[in-house]
Amino acid sequence: MEAIDTKCLIIGSGPAGYTAAIYASRAGLAPILYEGMQPGGQLTTTTEVENFPGYPDGVTGPQLMDDLRKQAARFGADLRSGVVTKVDFDKHPLEVTVNGGELIKARTVIIATGASAKYLGLPDEQKYAGMGVSACATCDGFFYRKRVVAVVGGGDTACEEALYLSTLAKKVYLIVRKDYLRASKVMRQRVEDTENIEILFNTNTEGLYGDEVVEGAHLVEYLGTDQERHYDLPIDGFFLGIGHHPNTDVFRPYIALDEHGFIALPGATTETNVPGVFAAGDVADPRYRQAISAAGMGCRAAIDAERFILQG
């Protein structure tokens, strides 16, 4: 099969990928974008988005991503279905294999593959996705003002989510399977000092219940011991706080990653350790993980790619 040549290849189709495609197209780079296994990214599983600028009345996640996709297409971005299965960044032009066979040769590559939230693996998590189950307190916490929610996890991520939700919700339960918090001392102290956060140690989640939306969680305390106790906890929202897994596995042989697997950006730009390869969005952002910050990084990555080509 004959290779396809392009000035700019974009891998991923969330806010970062589509925004990169908009800017790269307007710069005349004629980018090719592969949308991956979940076109539109994580936002396609979110019901209401109220914090993305330009939508004063809010917008659904799928509608927002469809708008971004249409804008990228309007400027001529070549949007394709496909999953990257192999890369060779030792060569120039850079080589990327899609769907196990199609070979792309690119002068620049923008990685915008995002990060996937870690879940407990319960069937109910998918059943109630967007209907009470969330992996982003900053995104969805507003909908639970004066209500009762639970956060699962015992590390810094869970504590940060619980603290944020405590400013909005009437009551926050922190469900911790161990008898201690793994979080840093400062985070532990903040959680313990917050009146409307209650920590449920030695507790596992068995499932969720509710007619159409989450109404409560099935919990078990002291699992596997003679103190084992099963009970139901009425809640309105169930938040995952056990971290995110960056989608970087295919790039590991070439791209420098941090200790958690996120792409490390060595300088002030979006360029990785490999010349001509740039990263944008959650795949390189373990801190903010917001649609608007991802879009901003997509803009930066496209501008960086354009300048790289002009200097080449």
Side-chain angles (χ1 to χ4, degrees):
M1 181 180 296
E2 187 175 347
I4 299 171
D5 295 310
T6 182
K7 291 180 181 178
C8 181
L9 173 66
I10 301 169
I11 306 171
S13 58
Y18 285 143
T19 302
I22 292 168
Y23 274 79
S25 296
R26 285 173 54 84
L29 301 186
I32 297 174
L33 181 150
Y34 279 95
E35 296 185 300
M37 295 183 66
Q38 187 178 19
Q42 290 188 73
L43 273 185
T44 58
T45 65
T46 301
T47 50
E48 195 74 15
V49 178
E50 293 191 326
N51 55 4
F52 198 93
Y55 293 92
D57 298 320
V59 62
T60 66
Q63 182 62 56
L64 172 58
M65 297 319 302
D66 189 52
D67 288 346
L68 286 175
R69 188 182 194 280
K70 288 177 179 176
Q71 191 170 359
R74 174 192 167 199
F75 292 114
D78 185 350
L79 308 177
R80 304 183 179 190
S81 298
V83 176
V84 170
T85 52
K86 182 182 177 182
V87 302
D88 187 346
F89 290 159
D90 282 337
K91 297 180 178 179
H92 288 276
L94 304 153
E95 293 190 357
V96 175
T97 303
V98 181
N99 296 332
E102 191 173 28
L103 180 63
I104 311 294
K105 292 186 177 182
R107 291 187 63 187
T108 61
V109 171
I110 296 174
I111 301 172
T113 48
S116 303
K118 296 179 181 177
Y119 287 82
L120 298 174
L122 303 172
D124 290 337
E125 290 172 315
Q126 298 303 316
K127 177 181 177 181
Y128 295 106
M131 304 299 291
V133 172
S134 172
C136 180
T138 309
C139 308
D140 300 325
F142 179 82
F143 302 110
Y144 297 90
R145 292 176 64 88
K146 307 301 181 183
R147 304 177 79 176
V148 179
V149 299
V151 178
V152 177
D156 280 345
T157 297
C159 287
E160 288 172 2
E161 300 279 271
L163 286 166
Y164 176 79
L165 289 166
S166 72
T167 66
L168 301 168
K170 177 173 65 177
K171 175 80 172 184
V172 179
Y173 291 100
L174 185 57
I175 302 172
V176 184
R177 62 186 179 89
K178 296 184 178 180
D179 60 359
Y180 62 90
L181 290 173
R182 296 182 293 102
S184 61
K185 183 178 179 180
V186 171
M187 294 300 295
R188 291 200 306 269
Q189 194 64 52
R190 288 175 182 170
V191 167
E192 291 166 358
D193 291 345
T194 303
E195 290 186 2
N196 64 334
I197 297 179
E198 182 178 342
I199 306 173
L200 305 178
F201 288 115
N202 299 298
T203 302
N204 288 271
T205 305
E206 295 185 300
L208 303 169
Y209 63 88
D211 288 337
E212 295 183 1
V213 299
V214 169
E215 297 176 13
H218 301 301
L219 304 180
V220 55
E221 190 179 31
Y222 296 108
L223 180 64
T225 73
D226 55 5
Q227 296 178 278
E228 184 172 310
R229 180 175 75 95
H230 298 258
Y231 66 99
D232 289 344
L233 179 71
I235 55 173
D236 301 300
F238 185 78
F239 289 81
L240 282 302
I242 54 179
H244 287 72
H245 173 73
N247 302 317
T248 53
D249 289 349
V250 72
F251 310 112
R252 282 183 179 274
Y254 305 95
I255 300 296
L257 309 175
D258 69 13
E259 64 272 24
H260 300 295
F262 290 87
I263 292 178
L265 301 178
T269 71
T270 62
E271 190 168 34
T272 68
N273 61 299
V274 178
V277 179
F278 306 87
D282 288 8
V283 73
D285 177 20
R287 184 178 180 88
Y288 299 105
R289 301 197 306 270
Q290 298 298 301
I292 189 62
S293 57
M297 285 188 77
C299 160
R300 292 169 54 206
I303 292 173
D304 289 339
E306 178 191 11
R307 290 176 179 173
F308 179 87
I309 290 172
L310 290 175
Q311 292 169 1

